[in-house]
Amino acid sequence: MTRRSCTIYAVGIICAALLAAGIGLTVSQVFRTFMHNRLKKEIVLVEGSRVFESWKKPPPPVYMEFFFFNVTNVDEFLSGAKPEVTQVGPYTYREYRYKDNVTAVENDTTVAAYNVKSFVFLREKSVGDPAEDSITNVNIPAWAVMDKVKASSFFKKTIVTMWMNAVKSGIFTTRTVHELLWGYEDPLLARVASTSPEVEKYFGLMYKKNGSDDGEFIFHTGVENYMDYGRVETWRGQKMLTFWTSNHSNTINGSDGGAFHPLLEKNERIYIFTPDLCRTIYMDFEKEVEVKGIPAYRFTPPRSVLASKEENPDNEGYCISKKECLGTGLLKISNCRKGAPVVASFPHFYLGDTKYVDAIKGMSPQHEHHQTFLDLNPTTGVIVRASKRAQVNVLINRITGFPSTRGVNETVFPVMFLNESVVIDDVSAARVQKLLLIVKLVPNFPIVIVGLGGILLVVFIILLVRARKEKNEVKRIVFTKPLYASSSEDDTAYSPVSTKEKDDPQNGNYIGLSSKEDPKD
């Protein structure tokens, strides 16, 4: 076998092996499975893992914006007119968050931690100074006290009315933004606290929430099952809440909003437990987006999350009572707010019944500005952009025994809404992009093998064609005999006529034929 034949056979064998291996690996997705298993093992809440430090102290900056509703026609409203409000804000704070007292539990299958948050005011991102700007809105402490005693005796209501008159506590109040957020000593609460020590005399929408935590969480690390990564096991030692009237409503499900499992699918429903609402909410896939070159799935809460029990029977458990079951877009959270008639919604009653929007002049729900969303990279589960938007309202109405409420119609009154937002920082984005590149290239390695096999196939075909062509050329070289030659080829020999070549001026050199002599012994 010639060297050329060996080369052809070698190329053919290598080509076949590469094609078979590449196609087999592509079909079986071995490398893809390998990378996914690596992600599942590395994205766990265990000391030394790829994500543990960033989970404890998230690097991207978080901003909290507060928007207040200033009432411009208090007197007219008390006479029965529709309330008019103007939106004032944002008052922006940089939010610093970290996990405190992080402790591994049950052989690294769960981890305990406290979510600590602190806030620093950013004047350059705000419309004004919260210590100077004043807002007129409903007096939440006064409404909370009146609501607390509305079922009490006429005598008790009279005492509360006398206290309100004595400290000049009306059903509307004007306070600075700083007071409304971080707290002030309310004169009516102070009077109530003198007889009921369990009552806090200070009030603020964010009172005691600067530098504090929501209680101990126990999270699944994802070691046993990657789908459980970041899922809340217990909150304040409880696996079930006690605020609501059904097991479904009291279920603690999903993460705390800070960690999501890798390898997300579009058809998944994302669950998040939020202590601010005292319940679990869920989000569905909306669309694909891109943030700083990172592909992401956008998940948003559908209308059914805060739908009425008629629209979504699963929400019946969130009714405080049959008489206190609000319509679509609202969630009364007085059970976890010490009895205060506080109602949660999306900003400007977005996704809510139009009657709540129409009841307040100045409401204008917009998808772009009032939607809550999460942009998650589906491969890693990393949050690349998010915006949590929620509105605080107060349910007010006419309360028997309190003359100041005589002209008040039942109204869900907007007080303030917040926008807690984050976008992945450049350093973290670069790390995610690098990881995604590796995850993308490794599963495509079989395609490279197929490509090399294809190239060798072309080379193999070329070598075969050239070998066949050369073989045919050899076959076409046929030496034919002169007509006068003897029948036996051995009888004739080609030899020069003489030892000296003769030149023919016309035909050049020539040779002659001579008989072949037998060699002498």
Side-chain angles (χ1 to χ4, degrees):
M1 183 180 293
T2 64
R3 182 179 297 178
R4 178 172 296 178
S5 298
C6 291
T7 302
I8 293 174
Y9 283 122
V11 170
I13 293 171
I14 296 173
C15 168
L18 288 175
L19 288 175
I23 294 173
L25 291 173
T26 301
V27 173
S28 63
Q29 296 188 336
V30 172
F31 285 88
R32 178 183 175 88
T33 303
F34 169 76
M35 285 306 303
H36 285 183
N37 288 337
R38 282 298 299 264
L39 283 173
K40 294 174 186 178
K41 290 181 179 180
E42 291 193 17
I43 301 181
V44 291
L45 299 180
V46 177
E47 189 72 46
S49 70
R50 182 184 292 271
V51 298
F52 193 61
E53 290 303 319
S54 61
W55 174 76
K56 289 196 298 183
K57 191 174 182 180
V62 181
Y63 297 98
M64 180 74 87
E65 296 176 316
F66 297 100
F67 298 82
F68 286 85
F69 295 107
N70 187 56
V71 185
T72 58
N73 66 334
V74 173
D75 294 336
E76 291 81 356
F77 171 71
L78 293 177
S79 299
K82 178 189 293 189
E84 298 180 9
V85 299
T86 56
Q87 180 178 298
V88 182
Y91 295 91
T92 306
Y93 293 76
R94 171 72 188 273
E95 179 180 329
Y96 295 90
R97 50 171 65 188
Y98 65 93
K99 299 287 193 300
D100 195 20
N101 291 335
V102 179
T103 308
V105 185
E106 296 181 4
N107 297 324
D108 286 338
T109 59
T110 55
V111 59
Y114 291 80
N115 294 328
V116 180
K117 298 179 181 180
S118 58
F119 302 88
V120 176
F121 179 65
L122 300 177
R123 181 64 182 86
E124 68 277 9
K125 291 182 176 290
S126 305
V127 296
D129 188 344
E132 297 179 359
D133 297 352
S134 296
I135 300 294
T136 298
N137 207 295
V138 293
N139 188 349
I140 297 179
W143 283 102
V145 173
M146 290 188 294
D147 190 74
K148 190 73 172 178
V149 300
K150 67 180 179 181
S152 301
S153 64
F154 177 78
F155 176 73
K156 198 167 187 178
K157 293 179 183 178
T158 302
I159 293 177
V160 172
T161 300
M162 293 173 59
W163 284 349
M164 291 178 65
N165 292 333
V167 298
K168 298 180 180 181
S169 179
I171 59 176
F172 281 84
T173 187
T174 299
R175 294 283 179 177
T176 66
V177 169
H178 183 84
E179 288 176 323
L180 291 173
L181 281 177
W182 308 111
Y184 60 94
E185 183 177 346
D186 183 80
L188 178 59
L189 292 179
R191 185 65 65 92
V192 174
S194 63
T195 58
S196 302
E198 72 278 4
V199 175
E200 177 66 63
K201 62 181 179 179
Y202 288 91
F203 169 78
L205 296 169
M206 297 288 291
Y207 180 58
K208 290 185 176 180
K209 289 188 177 183
N210 196 350
S212 62
D213 60 78
D214 296 317
E216 185 188 51
F217 283 83
I218 293 183
F219 303 93
H220 285 271
T221 61
V223 169
E224 292 184 320
N225 185 347
Y226 81 98
M227 294 290 288
D228 287 335
Y229 169 73
R231 182 170 67 83
V232 177
E233 172 68 10
T234 64
W235 175 59
R236 294 180 176 175
Q238 296 179 319
K239 290 188 176 183
M240 296 282 289
L241 303 173
T242 57
F243 302 123
W244 312 109
T245 59
S246 71
N247 289 336
H248 174 79
S249 301
N250 281 319
T251 299
I252 296 176
N253 196 8
S255 76
D256 67 338
F260 298 91
H261 69 80
L263 308 178
L264 289 162
E265 300 290 343
K266 291 181 180 179
N267 59 358
E268 282 191 57
R269 173 164 277 182
I270 302 297
Y271 290 89
I272 300 172
F273 171 68
T274 168
D276 293 333
L277 295 178
C278 309
R279 62 163 287 186
T280 297
I281 66 169
Y282 53 85
M283 297 186 180
D284 293 334
F285 172 80
E286 182 187 56
K287 62 181 180 180
E288 293 185 22
V289 296
E290 186 176 290
V291 181
K292 295 186 177 181
I294 302 173
Y297 291 167
R298 172 163 292 184
F299 289 87
T300 62
R303 178 181 168 95
S304 59
V305 170
L306 297 181
S308 65
K309 65 178 182 178
E310 288 76 21
E311 281 190 39
N312 184 3
D314 289 339
N315 288 345
E316 185 173 1
Y318 295 114
C319 298
I320 303 300
S321 66
K322 292 184 178 180
K323 293 182 180 180
E324 294 182 279
C325 206
L326 302 176
T328 294
L330 302 180
L331 176 69
K332 190 173 183 181
I333 55 176
S334 56
N335 277 8
C336 63
R337 288 294 178 267
K338 298 181 179 180
V342 178
V343 176
S345 71
F346 293 117
H348 288 250
F349 302 112
Y350 174 71
L351 296 181
D353 286 340
T354 56
K355 64 180 181 180
Y356 301 119
V357 178
D358 297 338
I360 309 290
K361 187 176 181 180
M363 293 291 97
S364 180
Q366 299 176 26
H367 175 87
E368 179 182 358
H369 299 296
H370 304 140
Q371 180 194 47
T372 291
F373 65 84
L374 268 173
D375 292 343
L376 304 176
N377 175 251
T379 302
T380 62
V382 171
I383 301 172
V384 294
R385 182 171 54 196
S387 186
K388 182 179 79 174
R389 292 157 172 161
Q391 182 168 296
V392 176
N393 312 277
V394 176
L395 180 62
I396 62 175
N397 50 30
R398 185 181 298 108
I399 301 177
T400 304
F402 293 96
S404 57
T405 67
R406 187 174 301 148
V408 176
N409 297 317
E410 182 174 291
T411 306
V412 179
F413 216 101
V415 176
M416 174 271 288
F417 79 84
L418 59 85
N419 177 24
E420 188 177 25
S421 61
V422 63
V423 177
I424 190 169
D425 61 289
D426 293 339
V427 174
S428 299
R431 291 174 180 170
V432 173
Q433 288 172 344
K434 183 179 180 180
L435 177 60
L436 292 179
L437 181 61
I438 296 172
V439 172
K440 185 177 180 179
L441 289 179
V442 172
N444 289 330
F445 185 67
I447 298 177
V448 176
I449 296 177
V450 173
L452 291 175
I455 294 173
L456 287 180
L457 178 61
V458 173
V459 173
F460 178 67
I461 293 173
I462 292 174
L463 291 175
L464 281 178
V465 171
R466 290 184 62 182
R468 180 59 61 88
K469 185 177 179 181
E470 290 178 1
K471 188 175 181 181
N472 291 337
E473 287 288 341
V474 171
K475 287 183 177 180
R476 281 197 295 269
I477 302 177
V478 179
F479 295 97
T480 58
K481 296 180 181 180
L483 294 176
Y484 50 82
S486 62
S487 59
S488 178
E489 191 174 292
D490 293 336
D491 295 338
T492 306
Y494 296 90
S495 62
V497 173
S498 64
T499 56
K500 184 179 179 180
E501 294 181 353
K502 295 182 180 180
D503 294 333
D504 183 2
Q506 293 182 352
N507 300 318
N509 296 336
Y510 65 93
I511 61 175
L513 295 177
S514 60
S515 299
K516 185 176 181 181
E517 297 180 356
D518 294 332
K520 296 181 180 180
D521 295 332

